């Protein structure tokens, strides 16, 4: 039963499959990908050497783990298709935004369900994946963590925080990229060619994040190391704050959070 089936071979599905296939958790022959797209299936089969199928029913028999990696609008149809096939021994892992464990269990009532929220950093094995589950999945959570550690970092959270995790971790990719774009534009205005400005800004962003991640310090501690009295750094930081940088970011995060709580 140490087999896994991933329903959905899109971008996120491919990233998860790549992580699992390169780990020692599963052998390639024990990983099956189900998708309606022959193109997606051909790509994962050729690149990753896993099994592929367009037949859900055949692909989830004798499988311990089942990852639901489809669009929110597709989930209901998938659940209805598998509800009479899945067994109580199978663990359902959902990457679908906005659908709770309780809602999934309304269609498949006897199964253990885990919710996970990766982000697009998964394609570079740099995802931040938040994981939530009920008490009945306590024994299986360690394995789920290992699965998603193959594509980055993981954090166990309460399910009530999954919407917030989606905004901070998944939408957050876009927020940081928009700030990065602004840095690049500033570099161009100062005289760098676009590709030069991008190289400098990207590496600087990587360095800044790594300092906080590896030193375990608060961002302000690292900022203090860069700012000198009456220097250009504090001048720029204060001007950004006068223009509402922190306030705008917080308002943007909260606007996304309010929106996600209205999406059904």
């Amino acid at each position: 039963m140490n087999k896994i089936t991933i329903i959905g071979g899109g971008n996120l599905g491919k990233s998860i499959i790549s992580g699992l296939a390169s780990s020692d958790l599963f052998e390639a022959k024990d990983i099956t990908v189900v998708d309606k797209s022959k193109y997606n299936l051909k790509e994962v089969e050729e690149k990753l050497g896993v099994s592929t199928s367009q037949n859900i029913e055949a692909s989830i028999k004798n499988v311990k783990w089942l990852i639901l990696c489809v669009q929110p609008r597709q989930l209901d149809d998938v659940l209805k298709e598998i509800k009479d096939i899945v067994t109580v021994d199978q663990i359902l892992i959902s990457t679908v935004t906005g659908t709770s464990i309780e809602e999934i269990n309304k269609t498949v009532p006897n199964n253990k369900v885990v919710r996970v929220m990766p982000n697009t950093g998964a394609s570079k094995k740099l995802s931040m994946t938040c994981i939530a589950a009920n008490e009945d999945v306590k024994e299986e959570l360690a394995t789920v963590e290992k699965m998603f550690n193959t594509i980055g970092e993981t954090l166990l959270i309460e399910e009530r925080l999954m919407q917030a995790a989606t905004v901070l971790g998944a939408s957050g990719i876009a927020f940081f990229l928009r700030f990065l774009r602004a840095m690049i534009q500033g570099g161009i205005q100062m005289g760098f060619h676009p590709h030069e400005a991008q190289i400098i800004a990207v590496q600087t962003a990587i360095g800044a994040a790594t300092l906080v991640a590896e030193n375990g310090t608060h961002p302000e501690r690292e900022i203090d190391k860069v700012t000198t009295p009456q220097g250009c750094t504090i001048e720029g930081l204060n001007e950004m704050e006068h223009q509402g940088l922190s306030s705008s970011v917080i308002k943007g995060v909260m606007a996304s959070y309010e929106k996600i709580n209205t999406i059904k």
Side-chain angles (χ1 to χ4, degrees), residues 19-81:
L20 294 174
S22 62
S23 73
D24 58 3
L25 295 174
F26 301 93
E27 294 184 26
K29 65 180 179 63
D30 292 327
I31 302 172
T32 301
V33 185
V34 180
D35 199 286
K36 291 181 178 179
S37 168
K38 292 182 179 179
Y39 173 82
N40 283 342
L41 294 180
K42 182 180 180 182
E43 185 175 11
V44 296
E45 189 172 4
E46 289 179 351
K47 289 185 177 180
L48 303 173
V50 299
S51 302
T52 60
S53 176
Q54 290 184 296
N55 187 324
I56 288 182
E57 181 174 356
S59 300
I60 66 175
K61 289 182 178 178
N62 300 316
V63 167
K64 172 75 173 180
W65 310 94
L66 183 59
I67 300 182
L68 307 174
C69 197
V70 296
Q71 296 295 323
R73 66 179 183 276
Q74 299 170 319
L75 180 62
D76 191 49
D77 289 338
V78 170
L79 291 176
K80 287 177 180 177
E81 188 170 353

Side-chain angles (χ1 to χ4, degrees), residues 187-242:
I188 295 168
Q189 187 169 346
M190 288 188 292
F192 289 107
H193 290 290
H195 73 280
E196 294 172 331
Q198 181 162 321
I199 290 170
I200 295 170
V202 167
Q203 187 59 35
T204 301
I206 292 170
T210 303
L211 284 171
V212 173
E214 294 190 357
N215 291 346
T217 51
H218 190 280
E220 284 299 325
R221 290 290 300 276
E222 299 299 337
I223 288 172
D224 287 344
K225 296 175 185 178
V226 184
T227 53
T228 54
Q230 297 182 313
C232 62
T233 303
I234 192 63
E235 186 80 17
L237 285 171
N238 285 344
E239 181 61 25
M240 289 178 189
E241 290 302 328
H242 291 322

Side-chain angles (χ1 to χ4, degrees), residues 12 15-16 117-130 148-155 169-170 173:
L12 178 57
S15 297
I16 294 171
M117 179 46 59
N119 64 28
T120 55
S123 64
K124 300 299 180 182
K125 295 183 171 56
L126 289 170
S127 175
M128 179 64 247
T129 303
C130 291
F148 287 89
N149 279 335
T150 67
I151 57 170
E153 298 290 329
T154 58
L155 180 68
I173 290 278

